[in-house]
Amino acid sequence: MLCNEVLNYISSAKGVPFFYVVGDEDYASVLDELKQKGVSVVRMSDFCFKDDKFPSIDELIDNFRTSDIDYRDNKFVVIGLGEFLAIKGAMFADKELRRLKSTTLGTARVILLLRGVSEQACRIIEDDSRMRSQNRAYISDNIITNARIMNIAPEAGLVKDVGIKYLLRKLEDGACETVNVATSLNMKESLFPVTSLFDAYAILNTTIKGFNLKNEIGTNEQWSRLLKEANDAGRNLDALFDRYYIDDSVFDNLHEAITGIEFKNWLAFIYCKYHQSKIANSYLRYVVEKTVNYEDFKDNILTMIVSFVHTDPEFRKMYDCRKRLVREFPEEDIAVFLKANEVDPEESIYRYTDNTSYERKAVVKWVAHHGISDAIEYVYPALAAYLKKYTFTCPVLSKELTEYVYAYKFQKVSNKLNTEFVKTVEDYASSYLYAQLPTRDSVIQSIQDKKNAYLYWIDALGVEYLSYIEALAKKKGLSIHIDITRSDLPTITKLNKQFFDNWPGEMKYKEQMLDDIKHKQEGGYLFTNDEDPIHIPAELSVIERAINTAAIELTMRKCRSFIIASDHGASRLAVLKKQEIPYETDTKGEHSGRCCAYFEGCDVPYKVVENNYIVLSDYGRFKKSRAANVEVHGGATLEEVVVPVITLTLKKNVSVQIKVVQPDNIILDRRKGVSLTLYISETSSNNISVVLDDKRYAGSTINGQHFTFDMTDIKRAKDYTVDVYDSENLIGTIKFTVKGKTATVNDDFDSLF
């Protein structure tokens, strides 16, 4: 209800204005009641003679003084004046209100509805006794206003009508919360809180619901582009992401999405930030959270794993997530990680992956300088499979070859030559143990159904790779049979290729790359450039490609069996030895000096004369011969002479289950060892065996599914792990616990209570 003071004022001519001080609570109702009393509304905004120019109070006064209005119709209420004064600031408001209180307005009765300047108006009313005595003022009970101003850059497109005029219009219409405006005018002294949104980021942060991004993750140019495109998409970021085909799939194809400096690449980063909670990959979520700007994003993905030590409980989860994440990153990007990972050599081995050739080489280099690490099992599984001890089962020399090849591989990868092993090589050099093995050609000659067999010759494939080949065959679901054979001496290709030349049929192929890697210029490796065995990953890749080829050919039924054979092996250790035979020959040494044409009077201690050649059987080489690359052949060490003939066939497509029977009842007998019984759901033969610590134990069965193994060499109660073989096929690995009799008695006693 209107106050009596204003009712008395509008009923008689006064010639000076009435101060009606209100807040948000009364503004609308007072204005409405004044209108009902026939009071005309005058808007202060109408005295803005340009859209973005403050209104003129002098023009307002002149308007009342010069208007020729009938006495009965000269009642006015001015709105927007208090808000305008509030925008201009306390000093300006005080000055103008003091001027207005005594300004004569002719015959007009003018009510100044003042909101936003209550403090200034109340002080003036308090100071002026005549205003009070003449009843030319009224102060409402609640004079609080919550109006706030949001000044937004016009280019943001969030304010339809640009200029201070339209801000006043909204306030005149009773706006009492946040009012948006686009103005270039100074509002620094405003009594209303003013927030300026003149940079694109601030506008986005304020106007887009759920916007939780930090300013530093983008440049002004990027935020401006995002603002423009977000406005075009209805200020809906998800709609904008859809326009660029950015969705959750970016988490799995990150390299493609963020490689580049285009807006769409940065937008993919923004998507990750905006939808951080949706990222399932723990490592990516961690990197997204920690990354401040896009320029660092790709490098952080590659290198932030370095901030974790391998003993951190979260490390393996983070490692596995990162490995999947960077699988598609190219070699040149990985170089950034390799540099960052050099800082702490004790930790670096745990962070490498086998995704790239650079990293595989780095792992081999690390091992060469620091030794074998358990981390290789997950960092580079192929290398771990290569290093695994292979248990030979040939009719002769099984034990000798098992120990020899394992020691050889260890030294090859560690890049260190063991003095005791050199002595073993020299002992074997005089005994010709390999002569007990069948020749490669005789074994290949005995292969049945050559018409349906594919012969795959891998030049320089020795028996050192059998554990790796066995693991690959198991992974591909192939059945494997291995014959251990010997090459002809000297171990050079021209004397060992008849098996390939004489193979009947067209299904044959020679893989030259392994031999090239070892000792030819085109292989790309030179011992004089880098003495570390960084060629090993390339060797393993050649072999993996061969097994993949076998799997394809067999699965496509292009052949019934796939035969992998070789002309000879090769020796890394003969290169490491750097031993020149102090003997001048009249003939040029061949194959890096491992053999030469026969001549009279050669009295070197470790040699074999065969096929009119002198063949060195230790790690020496003749003088004046071509320097070795990274490995050599032509000599008569076991790694050069002994070669496998591998027969691969398709295995029945079954999932073999292997279980320990009565696992809690495996009791150690000090004299008899342990009796282990396994249940095996599917077998291709009754030739089932287990291998523990290089010793093979044959199983006995009465029903073809339960096999018992008398493991007489077990002498301690502890946990054991054995490999299970069906004939020569590795079909699984089983763990079991052996208990001592004392522990068993105690368990039985405890169970009584």
Side-chain angles (χ1 to χ4, degrees):
M1 177 179 291
L2 292 174
C3 63
N4 291 328
E5 289 85 347
V6 78
L7 291 174
N8 292 333
Y9 174 81
I10 61 179
S11 65
S12 60
K14 300 293 184 182
V16 286
F18 183 95
F19 280 22
Y20 203 139
V21 184
V22 296
D24 293 341
E25 185 177 291
D26 297 328
Y27 179 84
S29 60
V30 169
L31 181 59
D32 186 57
E33 291 186 52
L34 287 171
K35 291 178 182 178
Q36 292 179 26
K37 295 294 183 181
V39 177
S40 299
V41 177
V42 176
R43 289 177 175 268
M44 196 69 208
S45 59
D46 289 338
F47 295 90
C48 297
F49 297 110
K50 289 185 178 180
D51 288 350
D52 201 26
K53 184 176 181 181
F54 284 121
S56 170
I57 295 179
D58 290 338
E59 292 291 338
L60 172 70
I61 295 171
D62 288 345
N63 176 70
F64 289 121
R65 286 176 174 174
T66 59
S67 296
D68 185 13
I69 304 172
D70 185 88
Y71 172 77
R72 291 167 295 183
D73 297 323
N74 68 351
K75 298 174 289 186
F76 301 96
V77 58
V78 178
I79 59 175
L81 173 64
E83 290 84 350
F84 161 57
L85 296 175
I87 291 170
K88 290 287 287 181
M91 291 181 63
F92 183 85
D94 185 81
K95 174 186 174 183
E96 292 300 318
L97 286 173
R98 289 186 184 279
R99 178 164 74 103
L100 283 167
K101 72 172 183 172
S102 303
T103 300
T104 57
L105 303 174
T107 60
R109 287 160 285 180
V110 180
I111 303 162
L112 304 181
L113 192 58
L114 300 174
R115 181 173 65 137
V117 287
S118 56
E119 182 179 339
Q120 291 74 25
C122 290
R123 185 165 55 245
I124 291 170
I125 295 169
E126 183 67 26
D127 292 344
D128 194 326
S129 58
R130 287 191 303 169
M131 285 188 76
R132 298 197 303 275
S133 64
Q134 294 173 4
N135 291 322
R136 290 194 297 112
Y138 179 78
I139 302 172
S140 296
D141 292 337
N142 188 335
I143 55 177
I144 296 173
T145 181
N146 293 312
R148 297 181 297 277
I149 298 172
M150 182 77 71
N151 191 12
I152 304 174
E155 57 269 22
L158 300 179
V159 179
K160 181 180 179 182
D161 298 311
V162 176
I164 199 74
K165 178 176 183 176
Y166 301 100
L167 170 62
L168 290 176
R169 284 271 179 92
K170 294 173 185 176
L171 292 169
E172 290 164 354
D173 290 338
C176 57
E177 292 184 350
T178 300
V179 185
N180 292 341
V181 63
T183 178
S184 60
L185 298 178
N186 186 349
M187 296 187 289
K188 291 183 179 179
E189 303 297 325
S190 172
L191 298 175
F192 296 131
V194 177
T195 302
S196 295
L197 297 180
F198 272 79
D199 66 279
Y201 169 78
I203 297 169
L204 288 164
N205 192 37
T206 304
T207 60
I208 292 184
K209 186 178 181 180
F211 194 88
N212 58 353
L213 306 175
K214 294 183 178 179
N215 193 0
E216 56 263 35
I217 69 174
T219 64
N220 291 335
E221 292 76 12
Q222 288 168 333
W223 290 125
S224 296
R225 174 80 177 271
L226 180 60
L227 175 61
K228 180 181 181 303
E229 301 220 16
N231 286 339
D232 293 342
R235 291 195 290 278
N236 184 326
L237 285 189
D238 284 326
L240 175 57
F241 294 138
D242 288 342
R243 285 187 180 183
Y244 281 88
Y245 304 101
I246 298 174
D247 54 27
D248 289 355
S249 64
V250 74
F251 303 144
D252 299 316
N253 301 292
L254 199 59
H255 180 264
E256 180 181 352
I258 66 171
T259 298
I261 57 174
E262 299 295 328
F263 175 73
K264 65 178 181 179
N265 304 125
W266 178 72
L267 195 61
F269 171 61
I270 292 300
Y271 184 89
C272 293
K273 282 284 190 180
Y274 195 64
H275 293 293
Q276 188 172 317
S277 61
K278 295 171 63 177
I279 301 175
N281 185 301
S282 300
Y283 180 75
L284 177 58
R285 190 166 61 248
Y286 174 81
V287 173
V288 169
E289 179 184 350
K290 298 293 183 182
T291 300
V292 175
N293 56 67
Y294 171 69
E295 287 74 15
D296 297 331
F297 189 37
K298 185 162 70 172
D299 284 358
N300 286 350
I301 289 171
L302 292 165
T303 63
M304 275 193 170
I305 190 66
V306 176
S307 64
F308 291 86
V309 296
H310 78 280
T311 53
D312 189 315
E314 293 290 305
F315 174 76
R316 275 305 300 274
K317 180 173 74 171
M318 290 295 190
Y319 173 90
D320 292 338
C321 288
R322 176 190 176 275
K323 182 174 181 178
R324 293 194 300 271
L325 189 66
V326 302
R327 196 178 301 277
E328 302 304 321
F329 280 53
E331 300 273 352
E332 59 269 23
D333 287 345
I334 299 300
V336 175
F337 159 71
L338 294 177
K339 193 65 180 175
N341 201 35
E342 290 177 352
V343 176
D344 185 355
E346 290 186 6
E347 285 291 328
S348 61
I349 185 61
Y350 299 96
R351 302 165 183 149
Y352 292 118
T353 76
D354 60 353
N355 287 345
T356 63
S357 63
Y358 281 158
E359 287 183 273
R360 294 190 288 268
K361 289 177 184 177
V363 172
V364 172
K365 265 188 168 294
W366 191 95
V367 172
H369 291 273
H370 302 282
I372 305 296
S373 167
D374 291 341
I376 296 172
E377 288 286 344
Y378 70 85
V379 167
Y380 194 179
L383 182 62
Y386 167 80
L387 284 169
K388 183 179 179 181
K389 182 179 283 190
Y390 178 80
T391 304
F392 286 78
T393 57
C394 42
V396 294
L397 304 181
S398 289
K399 183 177 180 181
E400 291 86 348
L401 285 173
T402 297
E403 296 302 325
Y404 183 96
V405 172
Y406 179 66
Y408 170 81
K409 292 191 294 186
F410 187 91
Q411 292 168 91
K412 174 175 173 176
V413 177
S414 299
N415 213 40
K416 294 178 179 63
L417 195 55
N418 183 286
T419 304
E420 293 182 4
F421 186 80
V422 173
K423 181 65 169 60
T424 299
V425 171
E426 292 172 349
D427 290 344
Y428 285 167
S430 304
S431 61
Y432 314 121
L433 288 176
Y434 54 82
Q436 302 176 50
L437 297 170
T439 65
R440 172 202 52 249
D441 291 3
S442 66
V443 169
I444 291 180
Q445 182 63 35
S446 67
I447 293 174
Q448 302 298 312
D449 194 16
K450 292 184 179 65
K451 180 181 178 181
N452 291 304
Y454 191 123
L455 179 61
Y456 196 95
W457 171 13
I458 303 180
D459 198 324
L461 180 77
V463 289
E464 65 183 274
Y465 305 102
L466 287 179
S467 59
Y468 181 51
I469 292 172
E470 185 179 67
L472 289 173
K474 181 178 184 295
K475 182 179 179 180
K476 293 293 181 181
L478 300 177
S479 181
I480 186 170
H481 172 78
I482 300 172
D483 289 294
I484 306 301
T485 69
R486 60 181 169 89
S487 302
D488 291 330
L489 295 181
T491 50
I492 57 178
T493 299
K494 70 179 182 180
L495 294 180
N496 285 279
K497 64 188 185 72
Q498 296 89 342
F499 75 96
F500 188 79
D501 294 339
N502 297 333
W503 181 262
E506 297 181 355
M507 287 196 296
K508 63 180 183 178
Y509 172 79
K510 179 184 179 183
E511 172 57 78
Q512 182 65 39
M513 182 55 69
L514 185 63
D515 189 67
D516 290 348
I517 290 168
K518 291 177 183 293
H519 73 96
K520 291 188 178 179
Q521 191 73 29
E522 53 266 37
Y525 298 94
L526 284 172
F527 188 73
T528 52
N529 289 347
D530 193 333
E531 294 192 3
D532 292 331
I534 58 171
H535 65 293
I536 292 176
E539 292 183 330
L540 299 182
S541 294
V542 170
I543 293 167
E544 181 182 22
R545 184 166 65 246
I547 303 303
N548 289 342
T549 301
I552 293 171
E553 295 292 324
L554 290 167
T555 303
M556 296 291 290
R557 301 298 195 272
K558 292 184 178 180
C559 59
R560 292 179 184 172
S561 61
F562 193 94
I563 313 298
I564 297 177
S566 185
D567 47 352
H568 53 73
S571 178
R572 168 67 175 179
L573 305 191
V575 175
L576 292 182
K577 189 71 165 63
K578 301 178 183 178
Q579 173 189 342
E580 280 197 332
I581 301 298
Y583 190 91
E584 295 291 341
T585 64
D586 295 329
T587 181
K588 182 180 179 181
E590 296 186 42
H591 293 83
S592 297
R594 295 294 289 149
C595 61
C596 71
Y598 177 77
F599 63 94
E600 293 290 343
C602 180
D603 61 355
V604 295
Y606 302 110
K607 70 178 187 300
V608 178
V609 177
E610 194 162 333
N611 289 321
N612 206 33
Y613 278 85
I614 298 173
V615 183
L616 297 179
S617 52
D618 64 352
Y619 284 150
R621 71 181 183 90
F622 291 113
K623 284 185 177 182
K624 297 184 179 180
S625 54
R626 180 177 63 83
N629 279 23
V630 290
E631 296 193 21
V632 295
H633 64 86
T637 59
L638 291 182
E639 61 264 33
E640 296 169 279
V641 175
V642 182
V643 291
V645 175
I646 302 164
T647 302
L648 298 169
T649 56
L650 285 178
K651 191 185 294 184
K652 287 194 303 180
N653 188 21
V654 295
S655 179
V656 179
Q657 290 185 344
I658 306 174
K659 295 184 178 180
V660 178
V661 178
Q662 296 184 356
D664 295 328
N665 196 30
I666 303 176
I667 311 303
L668 177 66
D669 186 299
R670 297 293 180 186
R671 290 182 295 107
K672 298 180 180 180
V674 166
S675 179
L676 173 69
T677 300
L678 299 179
Y679 165 78
I680 305 176
S681 61
E682 297 284 345
T683 61
S684 61
S685 70
N686 284 336
N687 183 16
I688 306 298
S689 60
V690 296
V691 174
L692 174 66
D693 295 334
D694 313 326
K695 184 171 179 60
R696 188 177 293 269
Y697 300 90
S700 60
T701 183
I702 57 173
N703 59 11
Q705 285 191 314
H706 292 84
F707 294 83
T708 300
F709 308 87
D710 293 326
M711 307 177 74
T712 55
D713 292 324
I714 292 182
K715 301 298 183 184
R716 294 181 58 192
K718 64 173 188 175
D719 295 335
Y720 291 89
T721 300
V722 296
D723 291 330
V724 184
Y725 287 82
D726 182 347
S727 189
E728 293 176 293
N729 295 298
L730 177 63
I731 59 174
T733 300
I734 286 293
K735 296 181 179 180
F736 61 94
T737 300
V738 174
K739 295 182 179 181
K741 284 188 176 181
T742 303
T744 307
V745 170
N746 289 340
D747 289 346
D748 292 341
F749 179 76
D750 291 340
S751 67
L752 296 175
F753 298 93

